[in-house]
Amino acid sequence: MPNTEVLQWAAEADDSLARNKILTDDEIFRTVAAEDDDEDDVIPINPIKISHSEAGAALSTSLQWAEEQNFEAHEIMLLIRLRDLAFELKIGTAAQRKITDFFGH
């Protein structure tokens, strides 16, 4: 590196240091802690629950699309497994309850 380039680089580094505030460990900790507190106030964007039936239908559509696009077998198998799982969850929540389930034990 020629001397002029070294001097220019050093000047740019000095300018960068002058613009940036150097923080102590305590200041860094307080800054990070304050940022963490701000994240606690985040409200979920999509509080809408998706039913097992809707998930199963979406996965069936995705599976059909993946087959049309000639996806690899392991990718198609993953979609099949997810679709089947959604169906199992749908059946599990729709299972008929016994009358004794409504009484405290």
Side-chain angles (χ1 to χ4, degrees):
M1 201 181 273
N3 286 341
T4 56
E5 289 181 26
V6 171
L7 292 174
Q8 183 180 359
W9 177 81
E12 289 174 5
D14 287 342
D15 289 343
S16 177
L17 286 174
R19 284 192 306 266
N20 295 321
K21 180 181 175 186
I22 298 174
L23 301 175
T24 65
D25 290 344
D26 289 335
E27 290 171 326
I28 293 170
F29 178 75
R30 282 193 299 272
T31 302
V32 171
E35 289 173 0
D36 286 347
D37 290 343
D38 292 342
E39 292 174 6
D40 294 340
D41 300 334
V42 175
I43 298 172
I45 294 173
N46 188 6
I48 299 169
K49 289 276 194 172
I50 298 172
S51 71
H52 301 309
S53 297
E54 291 173 316
L59 288 163
S60 292
T61 302
S62 299
L63 177 60
Q64 182 180 357
W65 173 78
E67 288 172 341
E68 290 172 0
Q69 301 302 316
N70 296 320
F71 274 38
E72 293 185 21
H74 71 276
E75 295 167 328
I76 291 175
M77 293 301 294
L78 175 62
L79 287 171
I80 290 171
R81 176 66 185 123
L82 289 172
R83 182 200 59 194
D84 292 349
L85 182 59
F87 179 74
E88 290 171 14
L89 289 170
K90 175 185 171 189
I91 296 300
T93 56
Q96 184 175 356
R97 295 180 171 232
K98 300 176 196 167
I99 194 155
T100 55
D101 292 342
F102 296 99
F103 300 106
H105 291 56

